[in-house]
Amino acid sequence: MRPHTPLKEKVRRFLADHELDAAAIDPEVVLEDFLDEMTRGLEGRPSSLAMIPTFITVDKPVPPRRPVIAVDAGGTNLRVARVVFDENGSPAIDHYSNYEMPGLRREVGKDEFFDLFARYLEPVAGLADAVGFCFSYAAEITPDGDGKLLTWTKEIKAPEVVGEFIGRNIAVRLQSKGFCPRITLLNDTVATLLAGKSVGGPRRYDSYIGFILGTGTNTSYVERNVRIGKRRDLDPKGAQAINVESGNFRRHPRGDIDRAFDATTADPGAYTFEKMISGAYLGGLCLQVLKTAAEEALLSAEGAGMIAELAQLSTIEVDAFLRNPFASDSQPLGGLPEEDKEISLRLFTAVVERAALLAAVNISAAVLKSGGGASPLHPVCVNADGSTFYKTKDFRLRVEEHLRKILGPRGIFCEIIRVDDSPLIGAAVAGLTR
Ligand code: BGC
């Protein structure tokens, strides 16, 4: 025990100095700020949360035996498939193809971007008359089911596409090839919410949330139209899914290492919440933490030398290290001296714990805003999707623990469910029910 005490203390001080310690964050304060930003966004007042109306309701029955094309344009992959639901609402997915998301590895222009989508859709475009298009980026949705890209996230490089209507641009190109499917665009969190509703329906939940923590992060929930003060054209008796764009939340605590890391990204100052919790960034943030630890002589000279050589660290590598710091010497941190390994492990665990706390505050805000979950008989259904949420060591456990602490005393019940292929299934639901 004794030799570890100073090390533990040194790490504790480092975490406190750089605001990396989750225990120093008061979840109630962040939650209040989150709820306030949500209200402001709904009312059209200045807010870091776009609170985008989607014109998608969750109560429409899904017609069985009608094929629909589902597209899932995610952070890394672009998946295309045909989906058919049976009488019980179970989806069958076929004609499945996986491509790389355009703009991921190199910058593409507007024409190349949309031409690629049309090319990937062409082989299946004749198999159905509707396309449900799950688009994992911030887009302003129009009542006709299209969406205009507001900003790129997740380091996608296609600047000419910002401000463009996604569905319309692809439809024009498909038309020139003889296809005229009706395209419905929706955010991946909204698709996830719909997938939760379509698969979790028999459980009779009070309300539905779609939560994503993968390459990026975001949340959607169902809001009453009367509360969407920024739109005057909505049926006051109705409700619809709202895309919160929670990755752009700004009123969260962050430290100097977070700021330094943000400055290295493609869009400094934007989506700072996402950069503290999601898969595209957690690895890079952990590397920035290690480099700072090396500069401040928290690591040994040998360890510091190794970290100085390291240009990149992925979230997957951080997770592999968390699971087994001795797994393989070929891993980027495999050769660190034992004591530096322990320090790294403590630092990464702190970064992950803070991310889990912030994710739980985000989910709690959506649950509370939904107004549901007052009875354990009808909890709020949180359909969670994304590799970071499920694959990062103990992440889901940590989130659930925080959710209980935040929502339990308020007497609010929610349940996290997992539905495989949520983005595709939800896109299919939207394509069929608009
Ligand atoms: C995007 C959101 C998306 C989320 C999860 C974020 O970077 O802005 O629209 O829902 O990632 O994929």
Side-chain angles (χ1 to χ4, degrees):
M1 281 307 283
R2 279 202 72 186
H4 278 176
T5 314
L7 181 151
K8 202 172 141 187
E9 178 53 23
K10 274 195 289 181
V11 172
R12 195 198 60 72
R13 254 185 256 140
F14 179 87
L15 292 174
D17 286 352
H18 297 288
E19 292 171 69
L20 291 163
D21 184 10
I25 297 175
D26 183 348
E28 291 297 321
V29 171
V30 190
L31 181 63
E32 278 313 308
D33 288 345
F34 219 114
L35 290 167
D36 183 50
E37 288 288 278
M38 289 173 95
T39 305
R40 297 168 71 90
L42 285 175
E43 292 172 355
R45 289 188 281 145
S47 170
S48 58
L49 297 177
M51 305 297 286
I52 302 170
T54 63
F55 307 96
I56 287 182
T57 57
V58 294
D59 45 14
K60 294 202 182 126
V62 180
R65 297 183 308 278
R66 246 183 69 194
V68 59
I69 304 304
V71 178
D72 170 20
T76 356
N77 295 312
L78 168 55
R79 305 188 299 158
V80 179
R82 181 178 70 166
V83 181
V84 184
F85 291 89
D86 69 14
E87 277 72 13
N88 304 318
S90 296
I93 300 175
D94 59 14
H95 289 81
Y96 176 88
S97 307
N98 198 355
Y99 307 94
E100 186 182 279
M101 177 67 191
L104 181 67
R105 267 188 302 171
R106 61 174 180 87
E107 182 166 325
V108 291
K110 174 184 151 185
D111 283 328
E112 188 183 356
F113 182 85
F114 289 119
D115 287 349
L116 278 169
F117 270 90
R119 193 196 304 162
Y120 298 153
L121 270 166
E122 201 180 334
V124 292
L127 300 177
D129 54 12
V131 175
F133 195 120
C134 169
F135 188 64
S136 307
Y137 304 91
E140 185 189 327
I141 302 296
T142 44
D144 65 354
D146 202 354
K148 186 164 81 171
L149 178 64
L150 294 171
T151 176
W152 282 120
T153 51
K154 304 168 189 159
E155 313 289 293
I156 296 293
K157 295 167 277 298
E160 284 173 22
V161 180
V162 175
E164 291 289 330
F165 280 96
I166 305 299
R168 219 164 290 176
N169 271 289
I170 295 168
V172 168
R173 285 162 175 84
L174 284 176
Q175 267 156 27
S176 70
K177 297 170 196 271
F179 302 107
C180 307
R182 191 192 61 188
I183 300 179
T184 304
L185 198 91
L186 72 166
N187 187 256
D188 55 347
T189 56
V190 180
T192 300
L193 183 153
L194 289 176
K197 170 76 175 37
S198 89
V199 175
R203 169 65 182 83
R204 301 202 200 166
Y205 291 105
D206 201 12
S207 193
Y208 294 86
I209 309 270
F211 174 70
I212 308 257
L213 185 65
T215 313
T217 191
N218 191 12
T219 324
S220 68
Y221 75 108
V222 181
E223 184 58 276
R224 287 133 286 189
N225 286 348
V226 280
R227 296 218 193 163
I228 310 173
K230 63 183 165 187
R231 288 208 71 119
R232 303 263 167 244
D233 55 345
L234 305 174
D235 169 8
K237 289 194 285 299
Q240 61 179 288
I242 294 287
N243 169 14
V244 176
E245 280 300 318
S246 57
N248 195 35
F249 180 58
R250 303 275 169 85
R251 286 164 66 183
H252 54 81
R254 62 176 188 151
D256 58 343
I257 300 181
D258 296 300
R259 274 186 278 273
F261 172 62
D262 177 35
T264 69
T265 60
D267 51 355
Y271 281 78
T272 51
F273 186 73
E274 175 160 285
K275 288 169 187 168
M276 291 168 77
I277 77 173
S278 82
Y281 305 100
L282 274 180
L285 178 59
C286 282
L287 181 59
Q288 190 88 29
V289 168
L290 276 191
K291 287 194 183 278
T292 312
E295 280 159 22
E296 296 183 7
L298 189 60
L299 302 179
S300 68
E302 186 191 348
M306 292 174 66
I307 298 303
E309 297 283 294
L310 204 57
Q312 274 180 351
L313 189 64
S314 69
T315 302
I316 292 173
E317 288 164 336
V318 166
D319 181 54
F321 184 79
L322 283 172
R323 285 174 193 280
N324 183 0
F326 302 99
S328 152
D329 288 347
S330 64
Q331 277 186 23
L333 306 175
L336 281 180
E338 177 118 356
E339 193 165 291
D340 292 340
K341 276 194 176 168
E342 180 175 337
I343 293 171
S344 306
L345 195 60
R346 287 180 185 276
L347 294 175
F348 291 178
T349 305
V351 171
V352 167
E353 169 59 11
R354 190 184 63 163
L357 173 66
L358 293 174
V361 170
N362 177 357
I363 295 171
S364 301
V367 170
L368 291 174
K369 207 76 177 151
S370 78
S375 158
L377 195 58
H378 302 289
V380 175
C381 171
V382 179
N383 185 18
D385 196 59
S387 49
T388 309
F389 186 76
Y390 289 110
K391 291 196 181 151
T392 311
K393 186 169 179 278
D394 297 338
F395 202 90
R396 177 180 180 167
L397 272 174
R398 290 177 192 277
V399 170
E400 286 182 324
E401 207 174 297
H402 289 302
L403 281 176
R404 259 190 300 278
K405 281 193 201 143
I406 298 170
L407 297 175
R410 292 178 159 87
I412 298 296
F413 300 86
C414 76
E415 207 168 276
I416 294 186
I417 68 160
R418 181 181 194 174
V419 178
D420 288 339
D421 295 316
S422 278
L424 279 180
I425 293 170
V429 171
L432 286 171
T433 55
R434 180 158 69 86

